[in-house]
């Protein structure tokens, strides 16, 4: 008899594990364990989504005739680790082989290195075929390249998958990338769609009670029904997202007070848990382009996120060993308390943190250009920032969170992922949002006590890292603007930056 272990982010019937198991003979183990629940201080909505989706998936497998041993965290025996849970089931049955699909996080994979000797039986780790490019192919693509830019990877993926490619194998619309058409600010029109919500069932109610009991001091609100936690809900969310995708392209980079979702799909959590496959999501979007004529900047912009960014960051996580500590800019400032409390006068940060606490969600530009940009220019410790991102989002798993945080947002990987740091002043936030209109700080001012902190920190960042970035062609304009300033102005900007950094916790 084989034992198949299914992890909490492997909730997919397409998982290779199922092809190695026999429904009549073998047993499936799914376990809620303390080690996974506590390896970072997860948002309570993330814990809810994870356990509720695991329980729904176990039920689905049982209905399909599989023998499942489900070990809940609030059961008679709660296990400390996955290893302990497998031990317990293995002792009950005569198990000759353990089968599982490789975990997405190196943290867990390394723990499994001694499993064969520990369990004294073969442990078969299968390649995770839910991704569109294997790690071996990614390494092959990356090896010997001077620059590992996403754009080239993305074009290869378009050709490989055939998504939005015409009969001559050329990109639909004539361009590979409509990024420049993804930057409109949103001023209230057209109105953003309501998010798809679900009626909580008895599984959801039990899990919500368990979270309240076991994690009373955990961070973040829990709202059963806010996110898809079963395959059929994820499918409904996909249909809903595609039917509202027309404006995704235009307003992809927009932000607005009290509008947490705008035109974003809210599919990342379902995708990362395995409730949807990347290819079915992209095919639904490509269908909408051909059948319903949604604009190319929406369809291409969306598909780029999945077959481009999502696959690319996963490849980079393993290829660049981004599971190891990164801090190329030597930043060590502590994370201010308002990353948890939202108690800051910076409206943009306050909005991003408040909705993160309430929903376990902020969209990409909030993550990259508000909290990420702030962490970069304020010189916050990248590992502390990364731990925050890993903890606070419902879609956070190390393989996707670490490259985005340490590579994209913080440039802590030494620039291997991005050609220049995403450092920006308050002008960028003002252009892309209405946050500055109601902010206590003045986005037009660079010095003085009410000047937008992003402005002073931006100039300070450029000055403190000029040895590294001055020769970077893509930052030429930034340094030319700095050089236009008199030495007295530069001194004042430096002092402004110093003052802000000294008062970081009080902003
Ligand atoms: P949409 O805007 O609707 O995009 C569609 C899909 O594209 C997403 O569901 C997601 O699967 C994919 N996608 C988009 N951008 C990225 C990206 N940069 N990397 C990988 N996939 C992408 N995404 C995560 O899934 N988990 C994380 O832990 C995570 N951490 C991030 C940390 C930082 C600092 C930054 C800048 C980005 C991070 N992202 C992460 C990427 C992105 O912000 C989220 O995928 C997105 O906000 C999820 O919301 P959505 O489903 O509404 O996305
Ligand atoms: C995220 C998570 C949590 C909170 N809990 C569990 C759990 O109790 N059992 C489990 O199998 N998986 C859980 N997960 C998902 C795992 O952390 C995820 O599979 C790995 O991080 C991927 O490498
Ligand atoms: Fe953010 Fe500065 Fe605008 Fe305030 S003024 S919302 S701190 S960018």
């Amino acid at each position: 008899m084989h034992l198949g272990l299914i992890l909490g982010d492997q909730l997919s019937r397409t998982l290779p594990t199922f092809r190695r198991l026999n429904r009549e003979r073998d047993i499936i183990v799914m376990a809620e364990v303390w080690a996974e629940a506590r390896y970072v201080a997860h948002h309570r909505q993330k814990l809810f989504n994870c356990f509720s989706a695991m329980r729904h998936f176990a039920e689905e497998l049982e209905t399909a005739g599989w023998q499942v041993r489900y070990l809940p965290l609030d059961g008679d025996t709660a296990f400390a680790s996955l290893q302990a849970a497998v031990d317990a089931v293995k002792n009950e049955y005569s198990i000759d082989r353990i089968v599982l699909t490789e975990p997405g996080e190196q943290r867990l994979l390394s723990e499994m290195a001694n499993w064969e000797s520990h369990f004294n039986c073969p442990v078969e780790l299968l390649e995770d075929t839910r991704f569109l490019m294997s790690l071996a192919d990614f390494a092959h693509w990356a090896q010997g390249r001077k620059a590992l830019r996403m754009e080239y990877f993305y074009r290869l993926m378009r050709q490989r998958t055939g998504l939005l490619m015409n009969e001559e194998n050329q990109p639909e619309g004539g361009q590979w990338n409509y990024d420049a058409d993804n930057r409109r600010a949103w001023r209230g029109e057209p109105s953003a769609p309501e998010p798809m919500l679900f009626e909580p069932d008895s599984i959801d109610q039990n899990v919500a009670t368990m979270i309240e009991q076991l994690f009373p001091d955990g961070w973040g609100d829990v709202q059963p029904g806010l996110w898809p936690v079963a395959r059929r809900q994820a499918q409904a969310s996909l249909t809903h997202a595609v039917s509202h995708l027309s404006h995704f392209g235009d307003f992809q980079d927009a932000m607005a007070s009290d509008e947490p979702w705008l035109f974003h799909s809210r599919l990342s959590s379902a995708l990362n848990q395995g409730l949807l496959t990347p290819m079915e999501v992209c095919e639904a979007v490509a269908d909408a382009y051909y059948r319903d004529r949604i604009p190319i900047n929406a369809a291409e912009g969306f598909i780029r996120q999945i077959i481009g960014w999502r696959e690319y960051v996963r490849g980079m996580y393993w290829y660049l060993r981004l599971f190891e500590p990164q801090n190329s800019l030597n930043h060590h400032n502590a994370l201010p308390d308002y990353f948890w409390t939202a108690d800051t006068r910076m409206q943009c940060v306050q909005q991003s943190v408040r909705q993160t606490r309430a929903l376990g969600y902020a969209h990409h530009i909030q993550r990259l250009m508000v909290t990420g940009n702030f962490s970069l220019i304020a010189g916050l410790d990248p590992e502390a920032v990364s731990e925050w991102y890993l903890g606070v989002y419902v879609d956070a798993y190390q393989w996707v969170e670490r490259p985005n945080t340490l590579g994209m947002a913080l440039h802590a990987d030494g620039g291997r992922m991005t050609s220049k740091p995403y450092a920006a002043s308050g002008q960028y936030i003002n252009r892309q949002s209405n946050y500055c209109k109601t902010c206590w700080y003045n986005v037009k001012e660079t010095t003085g006590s009410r000047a937008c902190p992003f402005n002073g920190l931006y100039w300070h960042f450029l000055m403190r890292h000029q040895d590294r970035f001055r020769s970077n062609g893509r930052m030429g304009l930034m340094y030319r603007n700095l050089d236009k300033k008199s030495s007295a102005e530069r001194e004042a900007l430096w002092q402004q930056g110093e003052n802000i950094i000294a008062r970081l916790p009080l902003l």
Side-chain angles (χ1 to χ4, degrees), residues 193 236-247 284-285 288 291-292 294:
S237 296
L238 173 58
T239 306
H240 180 79
V242 172
S243 69
H244 290 97
L245 206 64
S246 291
H247 300 297
V285 173
R291 202 189 46 223
D292 306 329
I294 65 165

Side-chain angles (χ1 to χ4, degrees), residues 77-116:
T77 328
F79 292 95
S81 64
L82 289 164
Q83 180 176 302
V86 173
D87 258 333
V89 180
K90 187 167 177 287
N91 287 339
E92 272 180 55
Y93 299 88
S94 166
I95 301 292
D96 58 7
R97 175 176 289 265
I98 294 168
V99 180
L100 78 155
T101 298
E102 62 197 1
E105 300 190 346
Q106 185 270 348
R107 167 191 70 79
L108 197 51
L109 183 66
S110 67
E111 278 176 30
M112 291 172 180
N114 74 343
W115 272 21
E116 288 212 335

Side-chain angles (χ1 to χ4, degrees), residues 264-268 272 305 361 364 367 395-396 401 404:
H264 291 275
S265 69
R266 305 173 71 246
L267 293 176
S268 52
N272 296 350
Q305 306 310 315
Y361 180 85
H364 187 65
R367 298 189 205 192
D395 55 27
E401 178 277 322
N404 269 300

Side-chain angles (χ1 to χ4, degrees), residues 248 264-268 271-272 302 305-306 309-310 313 361-364 367-368 389 395-397 400-401 404-405 408-409:
F248 174 84
H264 291 275
S265 69
R266 305 173 71 246
L267 293 176
S268 52
L271 269 162
N272 296 350
F302 190 90
Q305 306 310 315
I306 309 263
W309 282 111
R310 188 170 186 274
V313 298
Y361 180 85
H363 67 69
H364 187 65
R367 298 189 205 192
L368 185 64
Y389 277 102
D395 55 27
Y397 295 86
V400 51
E401 178 277 322
N404 269 300
T405 306
M408 279 255 270

Side-chain angles (χ1 to χ4, degrees), residues 122-259:
V123 175
E124 201 173 339
L125 272 178
L126 306 169
E127 182 182 345
D128 193 343
T129 50
R130 290 174 302 158
F131 288 93
L132 300 171
M133 188 181 265
S134 70
L135 295 176
D137 281 2
F138 189 91
H140 183 72
W141 171 79
Q143 258 148 24
R145 279 175 190 262
K146 231 167 90 202
L148 301 176
R149 298 289 169 246
M150 200 293 285
E151 182 60 26
Y152 297 107
F153 173 79
Y154 167 57
R155 291 181 189 182
L156 173 67
M157 292 304 282
R158 286 278 292 281
Q159 284 165 324
R160 267 196 172 203
T161 57
L163 285 161
L164 298 184
M165 299 297 285
N166 68 19
E167 279 158 13
E168 282 85 50
N169 204 24
Q170 294 302 311
E172 290 290 1
Q175 265 171 248
W176 287 103
N177 185 319
Y178 291 82
D179 200 15
D181 298 332
N182 295 147
R183 298 182 189 142
R184 274 181 65 188
W186 183 73
R187 302 290 178 228
E189 292 291 329
S191 54
E194 289 296 317
M196 172 151 247
L197 304 177
F198 304 96
E199 193 57 44
D201 63 9
S202 60
I203 291 182
D204 294 324
Q205 274 147 10
N206 290 340
V207 174
T209 307
M210 176 179 88
I211 302 288
E212 288 302 331
Q213 282 168 352
L214 299 184
F215 304 90
D217 303 322
W219 193 76
D221 303 343
V222 179
Q223 204 180 316
L226 182 61
W227 296 98
V229 287
R231 167 80 180 152
R232 63 183 183 288
Q233 295 180 344
Q235 287 167 314
S237 296
L238 173 58
T239 306
H240 180 79
V242 172
S243 69
H244 290 97
L245 206 64
S246 291
H247 300 297
F248 174 84
D250 288 346
F251 301 112
Q252 202 173 328
D253 289 2
M255 300 176 283
S257 287
D258 302 322
E259 290 285 350

